[in-house]
Amino acid sequence: MSKTHEAGRDDAWEGVVTHLSRGMLDGSNMYHFAEVRRADGPTAEVRIGRRLWKSLAIGDRLVKRPGADPVKE
């Protein structure tokens, strides 16, 4: 997995969830992540909200549209 580009609010992508994780990176807040194999090839780890994270399973499809948060489709 490479981080050649930080995900931005105006980015758009779609892909399939390959791994789910969470962690307390700063020692006080829980952060939720999904590793997504994007349709154009690369894999990216994206930060998502707790509610979405709890509803996801490996193999679910995520879509991120410009100006919006990722959603399950």
Side-chain angles (χ1 to χ4, degrees), residues 6-71:
E6 289 291 323
R9 190 83 178 136
D10 293 328
D11 287 350
W13 50 262
E14 61 183 68
V16 176
V17 175
T18 58
H19 181 74
L20 295 169
S21 62
R22 63 184 179 170
M24 296 180 73
L25 304 180
D26 60 6
S28 62
N29 295 304
M30 182 66 71
Y31 296 96
H32 298 83
F33 300 94
E35 186 174 298
V36 178
R37 166 122 358 240
R38 295 188 347 204
D40 59 355
T43 300
E45 185 174 47
V46 294
R47 185 173 156 199
I48 57 176
R50 178 179 179 263
R51 183 174 289 178
L52 176 59
W53 186 83
K54 289 185 76 154
S55 72
L56 288 175
I58 304 302
D60 285 345
R61 186 167 172 259
L62 282 179
V63 175
K64 162 77 173 74
R65 293 185 175 84
D69 292 329
V71 293

